Amino acid sequence: MTPTTLDMPVVGMHCAACAGRIERALGAAAGVEKAGVNFASARATVTFDPAVVTPEGLRAVVRDQGFEAILPEAGGGAAAEACEAEYRRLRSRFVVAAALTAPLVILAMGGHLVPALGRVLDFPGRAWAELALATPVVFWAGRDFLVGAYQSARRRAADMNTLVAMGSLSAYAYSLAATASPGWFAVAGHGSHVGVYYEVAASIVTLILLGNLLQARATARTRGAVEALMGLSPRTARVVRDGRELEAAIEDVRVGDLVVVRPGEKVPVDGEVEDGSSNVDESMLTGEPMPVAKSAGDAVVGGTLNGTGSFRFRAKKVGADTVLRQIVRLVEQAQGSKAPIQRTADRVAGVFVPVVLTLAVATFVAWFDLAPPETRLAQATLAAVAVLIIACPCALGLATPTAIMVGTGRGAQAGILIKGGEALEAAQGVTAVVLDKTGTVTEGKPAVAAVAPAGPFAEEELLRLAASAERGSEHPLGAAMVRAAKDRGLSLAEARDFRAIAGRGIEATVDGRRVLVGNAAFLRERGVEPDEAAADPRATTAYAAVDGAFAGAIAVADRVKPGSRDAVRRLRAMGLDVVMLTGDADRVAREVAAEVGIDRVIADVLPAAKADAVRALQAEGRRVAMVGDGINDAPALAQADVGVAMGTGTDVAIEAADVTLVRGDLHGVPDAIELSRATMRTVRQNLFFAFAYNMIGIPIAAGALYPFTGWMLSPILASAAMALSSVSVVTNALRLRGFSIHPTRE
């Protein structure tokens, strides 16, 4: 049976070690081929054999690890609701913890901060009052940490919960023993009050809850692109059934339904206009600011906004098959993916907690041996707790995925769909960009470039007669003439006695006149000598004759897209080699290349040989991005280090590519590469910060500065530093939301 890929949100993860534990459990499950869990996006992506294991079975694996997974059948609303419920639960626990910790800190430290308060706060039973305040913070507000640590221990694993639970419980247990039997402990700097550290235990829980709360809020902002895309789809559609117009839920629209769209409404699903006309704003998907005219025969996309007209269209794609839902799926997969650079962080996170536990024990032993006898237990305990708390691997686990989430989300907003972290990382290293010509550099459909009449014929009369004769032809050149005549407002006549000669031309009677349109040989066969000097070297030239006399030439060319030249200039300014790769004739290819500023051209290439051409460039040491739009480009797109498909191209090309440009604008290529560079730069900054934070913070927490300054890091400050480190990594990633896209695409 064909493997199936399941993408499901996971609720309750607190760090990268949690994600790693779930990933290993899923990967070891029967029938699972591949599993990945992204801590930042809180999603698990599993490729599995449905004949061996079901989605419910995979959900049970996640539950067995102490977390909750939400299956797609529950709907995106269920996932959002679960995440919102988790956020509210965190918030309520933090509010209670903060309300109890604030007076606890005042009781414990007020006399040190304000000496006049010392006499007021130093009362009999103060330690018991602190115990009363700290207990609900540690065991109710911090319950998740304790339960998580217990579940990890049962599975012989360790994660952030282990560190927080051990740190808070160590301080709490020491203080409880000192409160119950004060004679066993020496006074440790608290005046006449026995040295207890309830404020440390409570502050650890409170500050880490605050960090988790801020992290949850900040990480939710990285999912804004997907939420914005989902919000584009209307909830209902107006369909015509049995001759009556009905309002139906969007889920009830079926392929083949006739759908009515009124002024100002959103198009509910994908389809083709049958009657009516309007201008549709497609900027939500393509980034194109100008509305697009739609009339009979034109395609419309679900989620786009209708203008002042109204029309009816036949539904072609509904549900998960619509362009909007496919884009959402691509973005979710990309945001849940891992870049190769993340493997280093994952390996470190996998061994990080056991190493920290070892360092905490070593710190305790060292201080217990070296500190003065009267304070050694207190100092050893506080130093070990500080090491446990400051070393949480959250920042390390968030460094890469948050940047990838924001980067791919920003790309989606501009119509640049990046399939995953691997493609995003590969794009930053591109050194050569290979451009297909037709449909990529050029518009991909022939258009009349010039009309050169001869004899008594005027330009518009020649075009009218030729287009009228070509109305019955299926040839692309004829279709270009018909479009050009309509664009000029010419009234076409009916053609009679139409006859097409394959590969040569057509003949027909228009307004009682015999019209020939074809190549030079075709006219000569019918006794007409064409003037080949009128031929345009950059275009395909069709010659026309009317009533046996040469009437002129019509040049049809595939015009260069308006932004192609500027886009090529941007690529070259970025230090990239630009190559044109096409199956067209060398002469035509070089004309187009010269027009857009490309020096190197590989022409007359068969589809199968395009991949060989890309392979040859890679053999020269280049990292190649291939840009194309047709079925014949698919092998080259797959061969390239990064395949970029024009969204206006074929499904095969888009499927084979790593990046899809929804709008089909060549400016999307430098935008995608620049976005990749900016994202990976942010990843490296985050990883540097996360590693540096731990390399500096752990020795300080262990007391490395004490011999020189006499200063020890308080566990309270360690908790604050740990919480802020995670938030700072996410905040740095969020800067990518302001990444500048080329003006023509926004």
Side-chain angles (χ1 to χ4, degrees):
M1 187 174 288
T2 304
T4 299
T5 298
L6 173 68
D7 188 71
M8 53 184 178
V10 178
V11 179
M13 291 191 294
H14 293 102
C15 68
C18 299
R21 192 168 83 238
I22 300 170
E23 185 174 297
R24 287 190 295 272
L26 286 170
V32 173
E33 292 187 3
K34 183 173 64 173
V37 179
N38 189 309
F39 171 45
S41 62
R43 305 185 79 86
T45 303
V46 189
T47 302
F48 65 99
D49 184 349
V52 178
V53 63
T54 64
E56 279 292 347
L58 296 173
R59 183 185 187 188
V61 172
V62 176
R63 279 181 167 173
D64 188 53
Q65 296 300 311
F67 305 92
E68 182 60 48
I70 300 170
L71 297 179
E73 287 76 7
E81 185 178 330
C83 291
E84 182 61 28
E86 175 71 6
Y87 176 80
R88 289 196 300 268
R89 194 177 64 83
L90 273 175
R91 184 176 58 191
S92 64
R93 288 178 183 265
F94 166 72
V95 169
V96 172
L100 294 173
T101 301
L104 176 57
V105 170
I106 293 173
L107 275 175
M109 305 179 67
H112 296 281
L113 300 175
V114 182
L117 285 176
R119 292 185 296 274
V120 176
L121 297 176
D122 193 10
F123 57 87
R126 191 177 89 181
W128 293 100
E130 292 183 24
L131 171 63
L133 291 169
T135 299
V137 176
V138 173
F139 293 100
W140 181 80
R143 180 177 182 275
D144 287 349
F145 305 128
L146 304 179
V147 172
Y150 170 71
Q151 291 174 336
S152 295
R154 281 181 55 210
R155 295 170 179 83
R156 299 179 182 179
D159 55 23
M160 184 202 82
N161 294 317
T162 306
L163 300 180
V164 176
M166 289 187 67
S168 58
L169 285 178
S170 296
Y172 182 88
Y174 171 90
S175 301
L176 180 61
T179 303
S181 301
W184 293 358
F185 296 86
V187 174
H190 280 256
S192 61
H193 179 54
V194 173
V196 294
Y197 299 98
Y198 292 114
E199 80 280 5
V200 170
S203 296
I204 288 170
V205 171
T206 302
L207 288 170
I208 293 176
L209 280 174
L210 174 61
N212 289 348
L213 194 66
L214 294 175
Q215 177 185 310
R217 173 56 60 86
T219 303
R221 293 176 62 194
T222 68
R223 293 192 289 267
V226 172
E227 292 171 1
L229 286 170
M230 290 296 290
L232 295 176
S233 180
R235 296 182 181 274
T236 61
R238 196 172 285 106
V239 299
V240 178
R241 290 175 181 163
D242 300 325
R244 295 192 307 125
E245 194 175 298
L246 307 171
E247 188 167 293
I250 195 71
E251 296 83 7
D252 295 333
V253 179
R254 300 289 179 260
V255 173
D257 278 346
L258 189 63
V259 184
V260 179
V261 182
R262 294 176 178 173
E265 293 181 342
K266 287 183 177 180
V267 178
V269 296
D270 299 359
E272 183 177 298
V273 177
E274 287 207 351
D275 59 75
S277 62
S278 185
N279 290 318
V280 177
D281 181 357
E282 298 183 337
S283 61
M284 295 87 75
L285 297 177
T286 66
E288 171 58 59
M290 296 298 294
V292 180
K294 300 290 182 181
S295 57
D298 290 333
V300 289
V301 179
T304 55
L305 182 64
N306 184 30
T308 56
S310 63
F311 58 88
R312 300 195 301 175
F313 72 93
R314 190 71 62 180
K316 299 292 186 183
K317 293 181 179 180
V318 301
D321 295 328
T322 63
V323 169
L324 179 60
R325 291 299 297 270
Q326 289 175 9
I327 290 173
V328 169
R329 187 173 67 252
L330 280 172
V331 174
E332 286 182 337
Q333 289 175 355
Q335 292 191 335
S337 66
K338 293 185 179 182
I341 196 172
Q342 190 174 342
R343 294 170 191 155
T344 301
D346 285 347
R347 284 195 295 269
V348 172
V351 300
F352 192 78
V353 175
V355 169
V356 171
L357 292 175
T358 303
L359 290 174
V361 171
T363 299
F364 181 90
V365 171
W367 277 103
F368 194 82
D369 286 343
L370 300 176
E374 65 273 13
T375 61
R376 63 184 183 183
L377 181 58
Q379 285 187 282
T381 300
L382 292 179
V385 168
V387 169
L388 288 170
I389 296 305
I390 203 167
C392 177
C394 289
L396 194 60
L398 289 168
T400 300
T402 48
I404 290 174
M405 287 179 66
V406 181
T408 53
R410 180 67 185 103
Q413 290 173 340
I416 302 170
L417 304 181
I418 301 170
K419 285 191 176 178
E422 193 164 333
L424 192 67
E425 183 170 343
Q428 61 140 3
V430 164
T431 58
V433 177
V434 178
L435 304 176
D436 173 53
K437 181 181 76 68
T438 307
T440 300
V441 176
T442 64
E443 293 185 348
K445 60 181 181 180
V448 172
V451 179
F457 294 96
E459 182 176 316
E460 292 200 345
E461 178 64 8
L462 171 61
L463 180 60
R464 188 187 74 84
L465 289 172
S468 297
E470 290 280 9
R471 286 180 72 179
S473 170
E474 296 180 353
H475 196 281
L477 297 184
M481 295 178 199
V482 173
R483 283 196 302 271
K486 289 182 177 179
D487 289 345
R488 296 190 186 195
L490 303 179
S491 179
L492 302 184
E494 287 294 328
R496 295 186 300 166
D497 304 324
F498 175 85
R499 189 162 73 98
I501 295 85
R504 314 288 276 177
I506 61 100
E507 55 185 341
T509 300
V510 179
D511 292 341
R513 311 178 77 174
R514 195 62 183 164
V515 179
L516 305 175
V517 182
N519 57 30
F522 176 69
L523 263 64
R524 288 193 184 99
E525 289 173 359
R526 280 147 178 77
V528 179
E529 184 61 35
D531 180 8
E532 294 191 68
D536 187 335
R538 296 172 299 177
T540 300
T541 302
Y543 300 96
V546 177
D547 294 333
F550 179 63
I554 301 175
V556 178
D558 185 6
R559 291 181 294 197
V560 169
K561 290 181 179 179
S564 292
R565 183 174 181 82
D566 285 342
V568 171
R569 185 184 299 116
R570 287 180 62 198
L571 290 169
R572 297 183 67 168
M574 292 165 63
L576 303 173
D577 296 328
V578 184
V579 181
M580 179 180 287
L581 177 63
T582 179
D584 281 358
D586 185 73
R587 176 181 60 82
V588 176
R590 291 193 180 279
E591 289 283 353
V592 173
E595 186 175 346
V596 298
I598 298 175
D599 297 327
R600 184 172 179 179
V601 177
I602 304 173
D604 291 316
V605 180
L606 295 175
K610 284 191 173 184
D612 294 334
V614 170
R615 198 175 292 112
L617 289 169
Q618 291 171 325
E620 295 174 10
R622 291 179 170 85
R623 293 181 62 84
V624 178
M626 171 69 196
V627 188
D629 76 322
I631 292 175
N632 62 337
D633 297 320
L637 290 169
Q639 173 62 39
D641 297 284
V642 180
V644 182
M646 294 297 191
T648 50
T650 65
D651 291 341
V652 175
I654 293 171
E655 186 63 30
D658 302 300
V659 179
T660 299
L661 307 179
V662 175
R663 181 178 165 188
D665 179 1
L666 201 57
H667 273 293
V669 180
D671 283 340
I673 295 173
E674 287 177 344
L675 177 61
S676 168
R677 291 177 177 180
T679 302
M680 297 314 299
R681 186 163 55 247
T682 301
V683 167
R684 286 189 288 270
Q685 289 169 353
N686 282 353
L687 285 174
F688 172 80
F689 179 81
F691 279 115
Y693 161 79
N694 283 296
M695 290 178 66
I696 296 172
I698 291 175
I700 293 176
L705 297 180
Y706 185 81
F708 309 102
T709 64
W711 182 75
M712 291 288 292
L713 181 66
S714 164
I716 297 175
L717 292 178
S719 303
M722 188 282 289
L724 291 175
S725 70
S726 300
V727 176
S728 63
V729 165
V730 176
T731 303
N732 187 46
L734 286 171
R735 293 190 303 112
L736 287 167
R737 298 176 74 186
F739 176 80
S740 178
I741 298 294
H742 191 269
T744 62
R745 296 184 54 79
E746 287 285 75

